[in-house]
Amino acid sequence: MAARALPDPEMLANGVAARDRAALARSLNLLDDKRPEARRRAAHLLATLPADKLDRSGHLIGITGPPGAGKSSLTSALIQVWRQRNLSVGILAVDPSSPVSGGALLGDRLRMLAHDHDAEGGVFIRSLACRGEYGGLSAEVWPMSLAMLAAFDVVLIETVGVGQKEIDISKMSDTTCFVAQPASGDSIQFLKAGIMEVPHLLVVNKADMGTAARKTLTELRTTLKKQFDPDGWQVPALAVSATKGTGIDKLADTLESHRVWLVEHDLLATRRKRFQAEWILKRLREEFGRFGIERLGGEAGLFDELTRRHGSPFDQYDALRDRFLANWKT
Amino acid sequence: MEKQPTKRDKPWLMRTYSGHSSAKASNQLYRTNLAKGQTGLSVAFDLPTQTGYDSDHVLARGEVGKVGVPIGHIGDMETLFDQIPLAQMNTSMTINATAAWLLSLYVAVAERQGASQDQLQGTTQNDIIKEYLSRGTYIYPPEPSVRLITDVVCYTVKHIPKWNPTNICSYHLQEAGATPVQELAYALSTGITILDAVRDSGQVSVADFADVVGRISFFVNAGIRFVEECCKMRAFARMWDKITQERYGVEDEKMRRFRYGVQVNSLGLTESQPENNVQRIILEMLAVTLSKNARARAIQLPAWNEALGLPRPWDQQWALRMQQVLAFETDLLEYGDILAGSTVIEAKVQALIQGAEAEMERVREQGGMIPAIETGYVKRQLVTSHTERMRAIERGDLKIIGLNCFQQTEPSPLVGEGEGSIMKVDPRAEREQIERLQAFRTGRNQADVDAALAALADAAKSGDNIMPVSIRCAHAGVTTGEWGQALREAFGEYRPPTGIDISLHDSPSAAVQEVRDRVRHTGEELGRPLRILVGKPGLDGHSNGAEQIAVKARDVGFEIVYQGIRLTPQQIAKAALEEGVHLIGLSVLSGSHMELVEDITAELAKLGIPEIPVIVGGIIPVDDEKVLRNQGIAAVYTPKNIDMNAIMADMVDIIRASNGLKPYQQKAA
């Protein structure tokens, strides 16, 4: 039996743009594939996807929060509201990998089963293992979310239940939503102490828990009074119940209002460029260390260069990698 | 010479858990069994009936009449008990999420036979709480499920006083891996949850509460370690007595008695050398009969060939005869409690009680059984115990004759090649049942049906007891699927945590290391880590096998997609596509593997991913295995395949073959 042939990237790109589910699935597989030929085709695929969609349309949302806060149930509840509003939805759900075996249990779909019966095929879920990355995401999330942006109106990334310090998701989503547990004061303490990076939206889930949820919400609101993110957005806090379905419409509205705010302030495209630059810098640091970054012109310089240029993440990364290797040899 | 004692105790109720194909076929079977000396009936329902679907629902395909009898409406129930006077019968019904409905149908048939409700005797299992942990025929979220249990309890205490409204099950916990201490702790915690709910519902007066306590019964398992199991029963009796006295203030000792029925262990029955199961079953029966002070009220025994497929009437007769020999030929029933006064037994009983009380305290700290299930705590404990058991079998520390030791055997005359040794459900049964159902629907008064269903929906919302309106639905000709759907709309549906996110702490064996290398290297050759989908299609809720495969596969480095039970072929194919998996593993134990595999293969082709290899595990008869392999299924695993490392290594090679790679060669050291 001959080795299975890799797919043609241009056909895939056309399929993805037409929201062909099989083409999208194969594209995600290709973006995951580390073999050199696959990597070449993946770069070609990303370069062929409609650039305007990747740069400035759709809405890339990140959902993060401690384990057990109900992120998957909340995601499922949001999908329902978005589908009622006729928006198509792509989900990237990240789960932890075992540090010993590398294996992972990808269980988030269990909480989203209701959407399997979506008649129009408007929901697509891909699970990912974090594969040893810190920060609740895996390296594949950024390229994969680009492919999803080409196909869907809303792309939601659900992170591993992380500690409050490491929210890499804020460097990869237009809108970051932090889900807090009622009666767990940790997030508030971290916010007050400035340890936790400020998300764009704080959600207290399990509002059906009553007093505990109200108390947590009040504390959050007090803490957040006049709290702005670095771009100047004032951070709201909401109470919802994913299982009872209350407050979800309001949450969807608030997420949308942040997207509109980003567009109005001309920040959507700028921020996505920043995300890509961050992603490339992280990969370079991993491969070449601080020394390598210095040889390439330093963090600030590289960041600047990357945000000014166009190109797919793989192409940009490969160009810098080649430059480093060339410098190294001379 | 002293005269031998001749006064014998009355034996326990003897039943055989049975039902298949259709109400008519099952009725014939019941009448034959009663003629053979069986003293009660134990009805097995098929999975659509247990999960509230009509036979023509998409999820019912392949499941109709397989693991039990299909009961879609009052017509089926009348046929089932044709010429069996319910006023004189003692009927046990293994039914949970739809217990209120099947009891309503039973009551309605009894009324049509001219019997009054207070004459009826029997048991509804009606323990939906354990369904979230094992067996899996839950429908609704925990809160309405507890309410349904409560409604049946409160209704029967008033109207059907000789009925056992709930049979709290530790049986299925043991099947899911529970240790004796876990069985005690979780079953008794469930008992507390139910009694608290009945008390708090306000449906029963304080004066009548002792009657409620007196009607609660248990359904217990007995495994092969029969001395310990015997002590477990004694511990159960003592703990329940204490709980009902201290927590609920029941003064009458009789009302505090631990009343239980038993089905002995299926978990330890083997597919290899299946005749050995006979001695296992008999030894297990001793555990629940030796102690007069903690003896079972009712016993049903599995058949020797359960791990091979569905038992035939002759196999069930053999199981009944085992009970009769013990009860009528031996002198067991001539003595008082033969274990009383044994210090060894007493010490073991005390140790079990201490362990169980500590675990009950951990459950209590989490807010009780329901919160401890919702967070996944209890299920994780069970999965951990089961994983430890599987590993002990693999290492050979836990010996199972014919499976991991003494495997050499003469050919068994009991197991003929293929079909001979098990029962085959007539493949026409499903189609005929659907035809009867559709004919029944056209023949009923639709206005009555609509009005009854509207009243059912109202009661579900208002909190009125669900039983009177369900009995009205039964008489009006409402179907099982309609009853289930009305409550689905009122209550919603629920999926409990799978519990497979456990950590394994022991250091891996050389075999595990070797499989990890295979998985990792093959992932590198294919450009990305190996991903597999573990799927449970159909309505079968026996998820232990799927859970153990998922836990094992993660431990050797696979990325696993697992979505729990009760998935349609469409859902499985969709998940396989979206998740980009290298292999699909299906687990089916209900006998519907042929239909489900066919449907899933067709769906995969439809989605353009026919190249993904599929393997199947479960209770798959040899003949079916051959057919499945011919249809392109890459491998079939049955209970005799206990070497999990070998299964994992197989999966790697199947993935390699489907991607054009040669079988894995271990790198020379």
Side-chain angles (χ1 to χ4, degrees):
Chain A
M1 198 191 220
R4 201 175 285 159
L6 288 163
D8 173 59
E10 300 205 1
M11 274 172 67
L12 286 184
N14 289 337
V16 169
R19 212 188 292 154
D20 169 353
R21 311 172 65 78
L24 177 60
R26 284 181 208 283
S27 299
L28 299 178
N29 297 350
L30 187 65
L31 291 167
D32 201 4
D33 198 327
K34 307 295 183 290
R35 289 173 292 186
E37 174 58 19
R39 177 57 190 266
R40 236 174 28 80
R41 289 177 188 233
H44 189 167
L45 164 69
L46 288 177
T48 316
L49 289 172
D52 57 323
K53 275 200 180 175
L54 309 195
D55 288 350
R56 60 188 73 246
S57 80
H59 192 188
L60 193 53
I61 296 170
I63 289 211
T64 188
K71 295 184 291 293
S72 297
S73 303
L74 185 59
T75 300
S76 184
L78 274 169
I79 296 174
Q80 196 184 339
V81 171
W82 285 325
R83 292 302 295 140
Q84 281 161 3
R85 298 179 184 186
N86 252 328
L87 298 169
S88 58
V89 188
I91 307 285
L92 286 169
V94 189
D95 280 303
S97 296
S98 154
V100 183
S101 73
L105 181 68
L106 311 171
D108 295 318
R109 296 184 76 92
L110 178 71
R111 299 270 155 249
M112 303 173 198
L113 278 176
H115 309 292
D116 279 356
H117 305 296
D118 191 284
E120 279 89 46
V123 185
F124 188 109
I125 303 162
R126 169 65 64 110
S127 311
L128 285 165
C130 72
R131 298 177 183 166
E133 287 253 333
Y134 294 101
L137 294 173
S138 76
E140 293 77 18
V141 167
W142 176 250
M144 287 193 184
S145 51
L146 291 177
M148 283 215 169
L149 272 175
F152 300 114
D153 301 321
V154 179
V155 175
L156 185 147
I157 304 164
E158 183 192 322
T159 75
V160 173
V162 290
Q164 280 81 355
K165 282 202 291 184
E166 337 138 304
I167 318 183
D168 271 14
I169 187 67
S170 62
K171 296 182 183 138
M172 218 174 276
S173 54
D174 304 333
T175 306
T176 305
C177 174
F178 185 92
V179 189
Q181 284 255 51
S184 78
D186 293 8
S187 14
I188 300 168
Q189 292 312 316
F190 282 111
L191 261 181
K192 275 185 183 163
I195 295 171
M196 189 171 104
E197 213 161 322
V198 181
H200 302 112
L201 183 55
L202 277 151
V203 174
V204 180
N205 193 12
K206 307 186 186 177
D208 45 310
M209 278 172 71
T211 326
R214 275 196 300 277
K215 186 160 170 273
T216 308
L217 185 68
T218 313
E219 280 181 56
L220 275 178
R221 286 200 169 131
T222 320
T223 313
L224 286 174
K225 218 170 210 176
K226 295 182 188 143
Q227 185 99 315
F228 294 90
D229 84 336
D231 291 322
W233 159 264
Q234 187 170 358
V235 181
L238 297 176
V240 303
S241 165
T243 50
K244 304 267 179 216
T246 48
I248 308 296
D249 259 301
K250 179 88 191 293
L251 173 58
D253 291 344
T254 313
L255 288 165
E256 172 62 9
S257 68
H258 181 244
R259 190 194 66 82
V260 170
W261 185 89
L262 288 173
V263 172
E264 280 168 357
H265 292 73
D266 209 13
L267 282 166
L268 201 71
T270 325
R271 282 169 51 87
R272 285 192 190 163
K273 279 212 165 123
R274 276 193 237 152
F275 302 155
Q276 180 146 315
E278 292 273 7
W279 183 86
I280 291 165
L281 279 173
K282 191 170 178 186
R283 305 275 88 72
L284 288 170
R285 270 196 300 273
E286 270 164 19
E287 197 168 7
F288 304 117
R290 216 186 314 160
F291 169 73
I293 300 282
E294 290 310 316
R295 287 288 296 241
L296 284 166
E299 294 249 353
L302 275 174
F303 192 83
D304 222 42
E305 182 185 334
L306 286 166
T307 44
R308 269 185 285 110
R309 273 214 217 122
H310 283 282
S312 87
F314 287 170
D315 287 333
Q316 288 197 331
Y317 175 79
D318 289 346
L320 285 169
R321 189 174 187 276
D322 290 347
R323 194 205 297 174
F324 174 82
L325 292 175
N327 284 344
W328 181 247
K329 278 174 201 148
T330 54
Chain B
M1 210 171 114
E2 222 179 309
K3 208 176 160 226
Q4 289 294 311
T6 48
K7 190 176 174 300
R8 295 176 71 92
D9 288 324
K10 196 170 159 247
W12 51 89
L13 270 172
M14 298 183 194
R15 295 175 170 135
T16 314
Y17 181 53
S18 53
H20 67 89
S21 304
S22 68
K24 195 168 175 208
S26 302
N27 171 262
Q28 270 158 7
L29 178 66
Y30 294 167
R31 284 195 278 146
T32 315
N33 286 350
L34 290 168
K36 284 178 185 162
Q38 187 174 300
T39 49
L41 291 177
S42 174
V43 182
F45 295 100
D46 73 354
L47 288 166
T49 307
Q50 292 190 51
T51 49
Y53 292 114
D54 281 334
S55 298
D56 54 358
H57 189 277
V58 55
L59 270 167
R61 170 154 152 84
E63 308 277 16
V64 177
K66 283 276 166 54
V67 301
V69 57
I71 297 295
H73 47 78
I74 189 161
D76 286 339
M77 202 67 157
E78 280 188 291
T79 309
L80 187 66
F81 295 110
D82 181 38
Q83 297 174 61
I84 299 174
L86 296 185
Q88 279 117 56
M89 194 36 56
N90 190 316
T91 309
S92 169
M93 294 192 271
T94 300
I95 196 72
N96 292 281
T98 53
W101 171 239
L102 271 298
L103 178 58
S104 298
L105 288 171
Y106 190 83
V107 166
V109 169
E111 285 174 348
R112 290 189 182 184
Q113 287 186 357
S116 64
Q117 294 193 19
D118 60 6
Q119 289 177 299
L120 301 180
Q121 289 188 69
T123 306
T124 32
Q125 190 162 83
N126 194 28
D127 170 6
I128 310 173
I129 296 175
K130 62 92 174 51
E131 296 291 327
Y132 299 124
L133 301 169
S134 179
R135 206 171 174 280
T137 67
Y138 50 79
I139 306 175
Y140 314 109
E143 196 185 306
S145 291
V146 170
R147 179 246 170 127
L148 287 173
I149 299 172
T150 305
D151 279 0
V152 172
V153 173
C154 296
Y155 181 85
T156 57
V157 165
K158 276 182 215 152
H159 304 279
I160 322 177
K162 285 187 275 187
W163 198 262
N164 300 307
T166 173
N167 218 2
I168 295 164
C169 298
S170 80
Y171 177 85
H172 313 86
L173 304 180
Q174 183 176 122
E175 295 294 313
T179 62
V181 161
Q182 289 174 331
E183 255 191 83
L184 285 162
Y186 302 144
L188 293 170
S189 299
T190 300
I192 289 173
T193 303
I194 292 173
L195 282 180
D196 281 4
V198 171
R199 184 191 57 197
D200 300 343
S201 76
Q203 293 190 59
V204 178
S205 70
V206 177
D208 291 342
F209 196 71
D211 293 340
V212 173
V213 174
R215 288 323 300 172
I216 302 292
S217 60
F218 288 78
F219 186 58
V220 180
N221 205 329
I224 194 68
R225 291 170 54 83
F226 75 95
V227 178
E228 185 177 37
E229 292 292 70
C230 192
C231 296
K232 180 185 78 186
M233 302 309 165
R234 297 172 84 89
F236 255 129
R238 237 179 274 177
M239 291 178 80
W240 186 242
D241 182 76
K242 188 173 165 205
I243 290 166
T244 49
Q245 183 168 32
E246 290 179 359
R247 190 179 179 93
Y248 302 108
V250 178
E251 293 303 325
D252 184 351
E253 199 189 332
K254 257 167 64 187
M255 296 295 175
R256 301 201 304 263
R257 228 170 253 173
F258 182 76
R259 299 158 60 248
Y260 73 100
V262 173
Q263 159 105 8
V264 305
N265 187 292
S266 288
L267 184 64
L269 301 186
T270 56
E271 181 189 359
S272 35
Q273 301 180 32
E275 62 278 2
N276 294 336
N277 294 329
V278 172
Q279 46 271 31
R280 291 190 181 104
I281 292 165
I282 292 171
L283 289 168
E284 289 165 355
M285 177 169 48
L286 288 181
V288 296
T289 50
L290 284 181
S291 312
K292 181 174 176 176
N293 293 346
R295 185 173 289 152
R297 299 289 178 114
I299 297 180
Q300 51 194 37
L301 299 179
W304 66 281
N305 55 351
E306 227 189 57
L308 274 57
L310 290 177
R312 300 156 299 180
W314 178 76
D315 307 312
Q316 296 202 321
Q317 174 187 311
W318 194 358
L320 174 65
R321 296 289 184 251
M322 293 177 205
Q323 296 199 49
Q324 289 167 331
V325 168
L326 180 65
F328 303 123
E329 290 188 21
T330 77
D331 56 351
L332 177 71
L333 295 178
E334 296 174 10
Y335 301 96
D337 193 288
I338 59 175
L339 298 171
S342 159
T343 49
V344 176
I345 295 285
E346 183 56 27
K348 183 69 194 175
V349 172
Q350 283 306 330
L352 288 172
I353 291 178
Q354 271 176 22
E357 282 179 345
E359 185 59 18
M360 285 177 80
E361 180 58 22
R362 277 189 283 277
V363 170
R364 203 190 58 77
E365 280 165 4
Q366 296 174 60
M369 201 56 186
I370 297 294
I373 287 172
E374 286 173 330
T375 58
Y377 168 80
V378 182
K379 184 66 180 172
R380 275 196 296 275
Q381 298 301 106
L382 295 179
V383 173
T384 304
S385 296
H386 198 54
T387 305
E388 279 163 13
R389 184 188 135 83
M390 296 297 292
R391 292 182 161 207
I393 295 173
E394 238 176 66
R395 286 193 305 265
D397 297 345
L398 186 70
K399 289 198 169 32
I400 299 185
I401 309 305
L403 187 69
N404 65 355
C405 56
F406 307 111
Q407 291 103 326
Q408 196 187 342
T409 180
E410 301 296 328
S412 165
L414 284 179
V415 186
E417 238 331 276
E419 286 209 17
S421 57
I422 52 162
M423 195 183 76
K424 290 258 174 181
V425 170
D426 186 344
R428 288 170 307 182
E430 179 163 322
R431 205 187 58 233
E432 287 168 8
Q433 179 66 19
I434 290 172
E435 283 164 10
R436 277 192 300 273
L437 171 69
Q438 290 171 348
F440 178 87
R441 280 204 199 104
T442 54
R444 58 189 187 168
N445 181 331
Q446 195 59 41
D448 285 357
V449 170
D450 294 343
L453 281 171
L456 177 67
D458 286 347
K461 285 195 195 82
S462 72
D464 286 350
N465 193 301
I466 212 81
M467 282 298 299
V469 69
S470 296
I471 295 170
R472 180 180 161 191
C473 286
H475 279 298
V478 165
T479 67
T480 298
E482 288 166 343
W483 188 88
Q485 183 58 29
L487 296 193
R488 278 183 162 93
E489 280 160 22
F491 298 149
E493 293 186 63
Y494 180 72
R495 294 268 168 175
T498 59
I500 58 176
D501 47 341
I502 57 169
S503 337
L504 304 170
H505 294 297
D506 52 348
S507 52
S509 64
V512 170
Q513 286 293 11
E514 204 272 325
V515 180
R516 282 183 185 168
D517 287 346
R518 279 174 189 255
V519 173
R520 196 178 62 250
H521 288 141
T522 304
E524 283 161 10
E525 282 178 74
L526 293 177
R528 60 195 179 105
L530 299 188
R531 292 164 76 90
I532 63 171
L533 176 84
V534 177
K536 272 203 66 69
L539 294 174
D540 169 39
H542 292 86
S543 52
N544 301 340
E547 286 155 6
Q548 288 303 315
I549 289 288
V551 167
K552 179 72 188 181
R554 186 188 62 163
D555 189 42
V556 297
F558 286 101
E559 293 183 357
I560 312 296
V561 180
Y562 178 59
Q563 293 179 273
I565 61 167
R566 228 183 280 168
L567 303 174
T568 60
Q570 291 78 4
Q571 283 179 301
I572 288 175
K574 180 176 188 279
L577 173 81
E578 292 184 4
E579 297 293 356
V581 297
H582 293 97
L583 176 137
I584 299 170
L586 302 174
S587 167
V588 190
L589 283 88
S590 63
S592 54
H593 43 270
M594 301 306 283
E595 293 89 343
L596 290 168
V597 167
E598 187 190 336
D599 288 357
I600 288 166
T601 323
E603 281 297 322
L604 292 173
K606 206 161 105 188
L607 294 187
I609 43 172
E611 73 278 9
I612 299 180
V614 178
I615 61 174
V616 183
I619 309 223
I620 316 271
V622 183
D623 290 0
D624 291 355
E625 181 176 337
K626 286 179 198 148
V627 179
L628 288 172
R629 293 301 305 267
N630 284 336
Q631 288 172 352
I633 296 304
V636 174
Y637 300 99
T638 65
K640 69 176 180 294
N641 299 105
I642 50 158
D643 185 348
M644 300 266 272
N645 289 318
I647 297 176
M648 296 295 131
D650 267 10
M651 295 191 331
V652 173
D653 278 340
I654 291 167
I655 291 172
R656 295 180 68 87
S658 80
N659 283 281
L661 297 179
K662 290 200 188 86
Y664 185 80
Q665 297 289 323
Q666 200 178 343
K667 299 236 162 72

